[in-house]
Amino acid sequence: IFLAMGFLHLFIVNKSGGLILHRPLGQSAPRIGTNEWLRIGSTFHSLHAIAAEASPVKLPGNKNSAGADDGIEEIRGGGLILKCLQTRTGVKFVITAEPGTSDLDAVLREIYVLYSDCALKDPFYELEMPIRCELFTNAIDNLIEKVESGGFKTR
């Protein structure tokens, strides 16, 4: 299923546009400072909202197939793919990867499941706040390792 693996970064933006998690996923991921990540998260949130409003084609009820607000789902550029999964609650899971990295949708859905299973069930985690759950970050690392080794099966 997976041709070339080149995951770069994962970032998660809350419904208010605040960055709640950012993680490099691979060796070739550029090193970006915390302030720049905060700016990237809020900028992406704003662009996502603008794209939903400016789109010439409106989905029924302005919702995508997952029931979340319409907006940016994928951006392809020279040397980069950005893929976004927005939940019904407005949380955006965004992964960047090198071109040729396949099935990003399945990986994003699995990260969302891990978020639900690990972060949301952590009694010390508060919604909309930065995610500081070691179980979640370890699960992401294990997922990426499994995908890169070819052992990941889609649900």
Side-chain angles (χ1 to χ4, degrees):
I1 289 178
F2 296 95
L3 301 173
M5 290 301 124
F7 294 103
L8 298 174
H9 286 279
L10 167 69
F11 62 100
I12 303 174
V13 179
N14 66 22
K15 65 182 176 186
S16 305
L19 184 72
I20 57 175
L21 180 102
H22 68 91
R23 270 186 93 59
L25 298 176
Q27 296 296 324
S28 58
R31 301 295 169 228
I32 301 172
T34 303
N35 287 338
E36 287 80 16
W37 271 115
L38 292 169
R39 203 169 310 128
I40 289 168
S42 64
T43 301
F44 182 77
H45 175 77
S46 300
L47 290 173
H48 191 277
I50 291 168
E53 291 299 317
S55 175
V57 177
K58 297 289 185 195
L59 295 174
N62 206 27
K63 303 285 183 192
N64 65 21
S65 59
D69 290 340
D70 198 8
I72 297 171
E73 292 183 9
E74 181 177 76
I75 298 174
R76 289 183 177 266
L80 177 79
I81 300 170
L82 179 144
K83 193 81 172 165
C84 176
L85 169 71
Q86 179 176 281
T87 67
R88 289 176 186 241
T89 59
V91 177
K92 294 169 199 65
F93 294 81
V94 183
I95 196 166
T96 59
E98 295 171 333
T101 306
S102 59
D103 217 5
L104 293 174
D105 287 323
V107 173
L108 275 174
R109 283 192 304 274
E110 188 63 27
I111 290 170
Y112 178 45
V113 169
L114 294 173
Y115 169 76
S116 299
D117 286 346
C118 301
L120 292 182
K121 292 178 182 175
D122 181 344
F124 301 106
Y125 176 65
E126 294 181 39
L127 285 176
E128 303 294 310
M129 298 304 291
I131 300 170
R132 307 237 189 279
C133 177
E134 189 175 338
L135 185 62
F136 179 57
T137 54
N138 288 343
I140 290 171
D141 293 343
N142 291 337
L143 171 65
I144 297 302
E145 190 176 303
K146 193 184 297 185
V147 169
E148 289 177 342
S149 70
F152 176 71
K153 305 289 183 242
T154 58
R155 293 181 184 219

